[in-house]
Amino acid sequence: MFAVILLKGQNRYARERWEQLPALVEYEGRHYSLRMGPRQPRSSEMAWDPVAVYAPHELTQEEFLEIHELNRPHIIELDLEY
């Protein structure tokens, strides 16, 4: 199982658990592409599933990185050590 984070914008995201990670998905009527992962967080007190991050398909890499950083303080999976 994979922990999936779908970045929708600043302070807007969805958290899902999926068995597969397609390169492109439709979610709530919008196309998202896999932008990061799956990555396995380093072991800690909690067992984590591998994490994958999706973002709207139309975003450039620079726009994705900006949204990723804006959401990082609010989404624990984005701030884990890998």
Side-chain angles (χ1 to χ4, degrees), residues 5-61:
I5 304 299
L6 295 111
L7 298 177
K8 299 177 180 186
Q10 183 176 358
N11 298 324
R12 295 185 4 239
Y13 64 94
R15 182 180 280 117
E16 299 281 341
R17 288 178 46 92
W18 295 348
E19 291 186 21
Q20 297 181 10
L21 297 173
L24 185 66
V25 297
E26 186 175 335
Y27 185 83
E28 296 180 346
R30 199 165 179 194
H31 288 95
Y32 289 80
S33 56
L34 179 61
R35 298 296 185 105
M36 187 178 290
R39 300 185 305 166
Q40 181 65 53
R42 290 186 186 174
S43 59
S44 63
E45 296 176 10
M46 185 174 168
W48 292 93
D49 289 328
V51 177
V53 180
Y54 284 78
H57 185 65
E58 68 272 7
L59 293 183
T60 65
Q61 183 65 13

